[in-house]
Amino acid sequence: ESKRLGSNEPCRCTEDMVQAIKRKHRIADILRSTIAEDGFQIHYQPIWSIPRQRFVAAEALCRLTSTELGPIPPAEFIPIAEETGLIVDMTYQVLDKVCKFVKSARDEHPDAPLESVSVNFSAIQFVQSDLAERTLAIVKANGIEPSSIKIEVTESVLISNPDTVKQLIMAMHEVGIQFCLDDFGTGYSNLSNILDLPFDVVKLDKSIVWMASERDFEGSDFLGHLVASFKAMGSAVLAEGVETQAQRAFIESCGCSLIQGFLYAKPSPQSEALAIIAGK
Ligand code: C2E
Ligand code: MG
Ligand code: MG
Ligand code: MG
């Protein structure tokens, strides 16, 4: 129902919109206090290697829960963290926890084949000129090899200033940090900009994986060639969102070497994820 705000101008805000705005502000407050307490929870989703037939890596996925609102999905809080700029501090805290996870995995499970953990970075962070410096400082302070960390970015990182972005990525890549192109197949950036960057892994978005496993899908040859092309350029190809055996079989037939999906493992807290990766 519309309300009037004093004047005779009708307010176009419905009660739903008012509630949505209030919830957004509430979530921004929760993000602020979680940052103040360094209190983000992180779940790790194990990543399966097809050639090696075992888990080799994991993706860190940030979790936010409040006593008042319960669990808040990333699809809701990440855009708010981006709009408020809180994503910058949030990501450094997540990265620091991920480095500690890698370290404890090496210490507590020396036989665990965990090679790297990936962390999602937001496109808006790539306007920060100290991004590479601060990222490397966190990795170094934790005493882990930079090659244990993979940074995931989506094509949206390339929309505004590809030259600056390339410089930042190169600065981190040169010292050993790896990069993943996340959600590939959903963006609309210039292909030459993508091909110009050193992606160690290209992650096929789940929408492609799901579409490709439909009976009447006609793009299998195309996908096979696409995967082969990325491999020829030195990128491994990972399939996201693999939920069924049919999807797994299709993905294998396309030549993907890495799989991340509920069929293999769901995101879970640190100790559970480590046990899964260690095969215990
Ligand atoms: P993403 O980076 O593409 O992460 C993969 C998402 O797919 C995760 O959702 C994961 O739980 C989900 N997933 C994995 N396997 C399957 C499957 O087999 N089926 C289905 N239906 N889903 C699957 P989640 O954790 O809800 O995260 C959503 C998005 O939020 C992430 O997509 C990422 O873009 C963003 N996000 C999460 N954590 C962070 C973070 O720390 N920083 C930033 N910047 N973004 C984050
Ligand atoms: Mg990701
Ligand atoms: Mg993804
Ligand atoms: Mg995604």
Side-chain angles (χ1 to χ4, degrees), residues 74-89:
E76 184 174 17
F77 77 76
I78 296 291
I80 298 171
E82 289 176 337
E83 268 176 59
T84 52
L86 295 166
I87 193 83
V88 174
D89 286 338

Side-chain angles (χ1 to χ4, degrees), residues 214-228:
E214 281 166 19
R215 210 177 287 277
D216 56 356
F217 180 66
E218 296 197 338
S220 349
D221 285 351
F222 177 81
L223 268 189
H225 290 299
L226 183 76
V227 172

Side-chain angles (χ1 to χ4, degrees), residues 45 59 62-63 74 78 120 182-183 206 240-241 243 261-262 267:
Q45 186 176 26
E59 176 174 11
C62 194
R63 297 291 178 251
I78 296 291
N120 293 283
D182 202 358
D183 301 348
K206 46 183 161 289
E240 288 193 297
E243 294 184 346
F262 295 168

Side-chain angles (χ1 to χ4, degrees), residues 47-59:
I47 294 171
W48 181 262
S49 161
I50 296 171
R52 279 178 282 175
Q53 289 292 296
R54 57 172 170 78
F55 291 109
V56 290
E59 176 174 11

Side-chain angles (χ1 to χ4, degrees), residues 2-5 7-13:
S2 65
K3 288 177 184 170
R4 283 170 189 277
L5 274 183
S7 75
N8 48 10
E9 272 290 294
C11 172
R12 291 174 212 283
C13 296

Side-chain angles (χ1 to χ4, degrees), residues 105-159:
R106 301 268 149 85
D107 294 349
E108 293 164 32
H109 299 255
D111 52 334
L114 181 71
E115 288 170 4
S116 67
V117 178
S118 43
V119 186
N120 293 283
F121 273 39
S122 162
I124 72 150
Q125 297 180 255
F126 285 77
V127 300
Q128 310 250 307
S129 54
D130 62 352
L131 179 77
E133 210 175 300
R134 287 190 66 183
T135 299
L136 294 172
I138 292 168
V139 174
K140 208 171 165 201
N142 280 288
I144 61 164
E145 290 289 310
S147 59
S148 308
I149 299 294
K150 286 191 166 72
I151 293 178
E152 298 197 0
V153 294
T154 63
E155 288 170 48
S156 62
V157 80
L158 287 162
I159 287 168

Side-chain angles (χ1 to χ4, degrees), residues 35-215:
I35 289 169
E37 296 158 10
D38 191 8
F40 287 103
Q41 299 297 312
I42 298 169
H43 282 188
Y44 294 90
Q45 186 176 26
I47 294 171
W48 181 262
S49 161
I50 296 171
R52 279 178 282 175
Q53 289 292 296
R54 57 172 170 78
F55 291 109
V56 290
E59 176 174 11
L61 296 157
C62 194
R63 297 291 178 251
L64 186 66
T65 306
S66 92
T67 40
E68 181 197 347
L69 303 180
I72 304 160
E76 184 174 17
F77 77 76
I78 296 291
I80 298 171
E82 289 176 337
E83 268 176 59
T84 52
L86 295 166
I87 193 83
V88 174
D89 286 338
M90 186 197 106
T91 306
Y92 290 132
Q93 291 187 355
V94 171
L95 176 65
D96 187 59
K97 286 178 200 284
V98 166
C99 292
K100 293 183 164 61
F101 170 75
V102 170
K103 200 154 187 349
S104 67
R106 301 268 149 85
D107 294 349
E108 293 164 32
H109 299 255
D111 52 334
L114 181 71
E115 288 170 4
S116 67
V117 178
S118 43
V119 186
N120 293 283
F121 273 39
S122 162
I124 72 150
Q125 297 180 255
F126 285 77
V127 300
Q128 310 250 307
S129 54
D130 62 352
L131 179 77
E133 210 175 300
R134 287 190 66 183
T135 299
L136 294 172
I138 292 168
V139 174
K140 208 171 165 201
N142 280 288
I144 61 164
E145 290 289 310
S147 59
S148 308
I149 299 294
K150 286 191 166 72
I151 293 178
E152 298 197 0
V153 294
T154 63
E155 288 170 48
S156 62
V157 80
L158 287 162
I159 287 168
S160 56
N161 201 340
D163 291 337
T164 318
V165 170
K166 191 180 173 188
Q167 277 176 15
L168 285 169
I169 290 181
M170 288 304 186
M172 292 185 268
H173 198 255
E174 264 162 30
V175 301
I177 293 200
Q178 302 203 2
F179 282 83
C180 304
L181 180 58
D182 202 358
D183 301 348
F184 181 77
T186 61
Y188 44 85
S189 56
N190 183 328
L191 192 58
S192 68
N193 285 335
I194 295 180
L195 298 180
D196 207 23
L197 289 172
F199 289 114
D200 302 281
V201 179
V202 173
K203 301 182 78 169
L204 294 184
D205 190 69
K206 46 183 161 289
S207 58
I208 294 182
V209 172
W210 294 349
M211 180 181 76
S213 61
E214 281 166 19
R215 210 177 287 277

